[in-house]
């Protein structure tokens, strides 16, 4: 097990319905040693690839994407879930159903910040059904940029997202790939 | 001028109503050199202070707060704007009116992640009327933790937030403190 997997096994909380709670170190309180490890590992796996920007979606993807962008020395772009009064009106957008929030979010990115000259690494905290990654891939394609690949901290290997996105020919790297979780015994196993 | 101020002067867009658009390098597309400079400068100004956690609010505070937390080698905690299905129900909360979104957000933090043992540095991207910082201070006080101070990338010095929060006795550090902006000439001056 790598240090993210060890952390999930020790400090993750598993709830009925295959819920993996990692709010103590990844997506509410965020442990910088863990984030640093994830970022180094993602950068290592994509070393040698030309990457011009890291793309994620607010909010819990931002911490990891920031650390990855620092490793790669490229800018980080985060898709927004709502149009604010200050934002450009000219955007690329795609819908993503959030199982955590129980609603569909429209992910949007200003057209000024992504273009066909870009080579995009898509980063997020979780991959479950793949809704967020699929929307971010869609936005990248709309812009004419190329998708170098995707990288997530945690993939729920027992859900369909990984299969769907890899099935479309995209590279997906997961730093912890969960095979299954048992909320009764509070145990987890990895692929 | 420091490099953040130079960047604002060169790449910021100023619109009627004292709007300062920095989505090209700070809160949509995020420049890692700028974020790194802001984080180093915040860490330098608070060096020697005991800080156990960096507290911010989703979404645009997260990138800067992550970089600051990395500099300080402490965890980063971000307040959420909505209760997700996976989140603890036992939370500290405070309301913050967002002028950018035109609505009041309830900022919430799980009670498990902040306590009276903590010494909190509050970080955000912008300080204008001080609504977000005030809510984060309120949450910190509710938890019994101590507020070491606040730090923001950009303070709109012509709005009231800085005066309100400093008036309550809290230290506020701003890396760029704008005196005024002129949308007609697209110029900015700093305090």
């Amino acid at each position: 097990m790598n240090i993210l997997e060890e952390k999930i096994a020790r400090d993750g909380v598993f709830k009925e319905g295959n819920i993996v709670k990692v709010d103590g170190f990844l997506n509410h309180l965020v442990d910088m040693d863990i984030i640093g490890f994830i970022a180094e590992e993602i950068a290592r796996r994509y070393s040698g690839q030309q990457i011009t920007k890291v793309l994620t979606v607010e909010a819990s993807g931002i911490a990891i994407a920031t650390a990855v962008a620092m490793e790669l020395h490229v800018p980080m772009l985060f898709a927004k879930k709502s149009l604010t009064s200050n934002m450009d009106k000219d955007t690329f957008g795609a819908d993503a159903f959030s199982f955590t929030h129980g609603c569909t979010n429209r992910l949007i990115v200003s057209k000024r910040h992504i273009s066909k000259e870009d080579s995009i690494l898509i980063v997020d905290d979780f991959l479950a059904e793949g809704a967020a990654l699929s929307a971010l891939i869609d936005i990248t394609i709309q812009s004419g940029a190329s998708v170098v690949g995707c990288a997530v901290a945690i993939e729920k290997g027992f859900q369909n997202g990984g299969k769907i996105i890899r099935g479309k020919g995209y590279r997906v790297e997961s730093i912890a790939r969960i095979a299954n979780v048992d909320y009764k015994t509070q145990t987890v196993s990895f692929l």
Side-chain angles (χ1 to χ4, degrees), chain A:
Chain A
M1 287 201 288
N2 64 39
I3 69 163
L4 175 59
E5 292 168 336
E6 285 169 6
K7 190 79 173 170
I8 295 166
R10 193 171 60 242
D11 297 339
V13 177
F14 312 113
K15 295 172 78 173
E16 198 168 356
N18 286 321
I19 289 167
V20 177
K21 248 171 83 81
V22 290
D23 65 307
F25 56 94
L26 200 68
N27 52 22
H28 186 21
L29 184 67
V30 184
D31 182 311
M32 291 301 133
D33 291 335
I34 294 293
I35 290 287
F37 166 75
I38 293 166
E40 279 173 27
E41 187 61 21
I42 290 173
R44 189 185 65 76
R45 295 191 191 182
Y46 278 99
S47 68
Q49 301 287 309
Q50 200 220 341
I51 293 165
T52 63
K53 278 170 195 155
V54 170
L55 175 66
T56 189
V57 55
E58 64 179 15
S60 52
I62 295 176
I64 297 167
T66 299
V68 172
M70 282 181 163
E71 281 289 323
L72 297 173
H73 306 288
V74 298
M76 181 271 291
L77 176 63
F78 65 91
K80 307 215 171 194
K81 290 178 182 167
S82 64
L83 200 67
T84 65
S85 59
N86 295 352
M87 196 171 163
D88 296 338
K89 302 296 174 279
D90 205 14
T91 58
F92 299 114
D95 290 334
F97 182 77
S98 166
F99 291 85
T100 317
H101 291 84
C103 62
T104 296
N105 290 307
R106 180 83 180 160
L107 310 193
I108 51 178
V109 169
S110 166
K111 287 188 178 178
R112 285 193 303 126
H113 300 321
I114 183 168
S115 73
K116 62 180 167 40
E117 278 72 41
D118 282 314
S119 301
I120 302 292
L121 176 63
I122 296 170
V123 170
D124 207 0
D125 57 341
F126 265 95
L127 169 56
E129 295 297 338
L133 290 191
S134 294
L136 294 171
I137 290 171
D138 190 347
I139 285 169
T140 305
I141 291 169
Q142 287 173 42
S143 76
S146 61
V147 177
V148 177
C150 303
V152 297
I154 302 175
E155 178 178 350
K156 292 165 122 179
F158 50 85
Q159 287 182 246
N160 296 315
K163 193 181 295 179
I164 291 168
I165 292 164
R166 290 185 184 95
K168 289 178 183 165
Y170 296 106
R171 180 175 173 189
V172 179
E173 293 289 339
S174 318
I175 309 309
R177 202 167 168 194
I178 296 176
N180 56 64
V181 290
D182 186 334
Y183 75 94
K184 289 175 188 160
T185 58
Q186 287 295 307
T187 51
V188 57
S189 64
F190 298 95
L191 286 163

